Amino acid sequence: MRMRTSVAVVTGALALSALAVPAAQADGGYGDTAITKVTVNGGKNVVVGTSLVKKFTVTLTAKDDSGIEGAEISLNGPGFGFMNSKASCSGSTCTASFTVDPKTDLMYSNDYAGTWYVEAWVDAKDGDYVWKEKAGSFKFQRASRQTVNASPEPVKKGGTLTVTGWLSRANWDDFKYHGYTVQPVKLQFRKKGSSTYSTVKTVTTNSKGDLKTTVKASVDGYWRYSFAGTSTTPAATAAGDYVDVR
């Protein structure tokens, strides 16, 4: 694995940092330095597709009676995923920038999707410091897509509508989207003139990620599939497909 950071290139599945960051250990420190808050990607999951470069930041807030001197931040995930960056500090807030290029950094790395942890080392101006192995956590996910098609269009009132769709997610082995299998997806309907969708039923994707079910048509409106997401894959909702009932 090769994860590029703002200050170093990390190479290998079990990568070693080019920075002077101590090896993983139990939490520790000296003096009154404390980490009070950690925010990854503005509080949102980090979602990576098959081609676009993903840039995000980790913001850390710390305190010490002498002030904060500097910080170094590492991100560690499943499958030996690893990223490292030296943070830029202003007052009590330190920010580190990270960049992930799927075609450079994630080849054959689907196992990296899941829960990642923020490790942080913070130095105070008076020589105090704190080290936290799990100062924060976030989800590192494979991008997802959801489609829908309701037919026939138009349909007679009381007639049968067949609603199909495909749930897929990024595959970092070949940088294509593959069907996400055996996943529960909600079929939802919004009546014409309304702004609210309601769930009609839950449909499970097949071995190819396909969805298919039938419903009775009663009024004009929009049909969509909505996937709630998993720890490795974000939620995905199709744009509503309008059906005219006559």
Side-chain angles (χ1 to χ4, degrees):
M1 172 188 184
R2 298 192 301 275
M3 283 291 192
R4 297 179 301 160
T5 72
S6 59
V7 294
V9 176
V10 182
T11 305
L14 285 171
L16 297 177
S17 168
L19 298 175
V21 178
Q25 54 183 287
D27 296 352
Y30 175 81
D32 62 349
T33 311
I35 297 169
T36 59
K37 184 178 181 181
V38 173
T39 302
V40 179
N41 195 35
K44 300 178 181 179
N45 297 334
V46 176
V47 179
V48 183
T50 59
S51 60
L52 295 180
V53 173
K54 176 67 177 181
K55 296 181 179 181
F56 63 98
T57 60
V58 177
T59 301
L60 175 153
T61 304
K63 64 179 182 179
D64 186 277
D65 58 6
S66 69
I68 301 303
E69 179 70 25
E72 292 175 351
I73 295 174
S74 298
L75 307 179
N76 295 297
F80 302 120
F82 179 78
M83 290 181 273
N84 185 54
S85 180
K86 186 171 183 178
S88 174
C89 297
S90 177
S92 61
T93 301
C94 299
T95 301
S97 297
F98 296 88
T99 298
V100 180
D101 183 338
K103 291 191 174 181
T104 301
D105 304 322
L106 297 178
M107 183 171 287
Y108 307 119
S109 302
N110 287 328
D111 289 344
Y112 293 155
T115 301
W116 284 57
Y117 294 96
V118 179
E119 297 184 17
W121 179 286
V122 180
D123 289 310
K125 293 181 178 179
D126 60 2
D128 293 352
Y129 67 92
V130 65
W131 165 263
K132 293 199 71 174
E133 189 173 0
K134 293 183 178 180
S137 65
F138 64 100
K139 294 293 191 299
F140 188 78
Q141 298 179 313
R142 297 160 61 179
S144 59
R145 295 174 176 175
Q146 178 66 67
T147 67
V148 68
N149 182 62
S151 63
E153 300 177 55
V155 64
K156 291 182 180 180
K157 186 173 183 178
T160 299
L161 270 177
T162 299
V163 187
T164 59
W166 188 51
L167 174 64
S168 61
R169 61 175 176 168
N171 187 307
W172 297 328
D173 290 344
D174 59 9
F175 306 109
K176 297 179 181 179
Y177 278 80
H178 291 220
Y180 198 5
T181 65
V182 197
Q183 296 300 313
V185 181
K186 293 179 180 179
L187 175 65
Q188 299 180 326
F189 177 72
R190 175 168 66 87
K191 184 179 179 180
K192 181 180 179 180
S194 171
S195 60
T196 304
Y197 277 91
S198 59
T199 298
V200 176
K201 63 173 74 175
T202 298
V203 185
T204 301
T205 59
N206 66 11
S207 60
K208 296 181 180 180
D210 296 321
L211 293 157
K212 183 177 182 180
T213 191
T214 58
V215 293
K216 293 296 184 181
S218 57
V219 296
D220 297 349
Y222 300 83
W223 294 91
R224 73 181 187 184
Y225 279 116
S226 182
F227 171 61
T230 63
S231 62
T232 61
T233 310
T237 299
D241 185 16
Y242 181 76
V243 175
D244 180 16
V245 178
R246 297 179 179 178

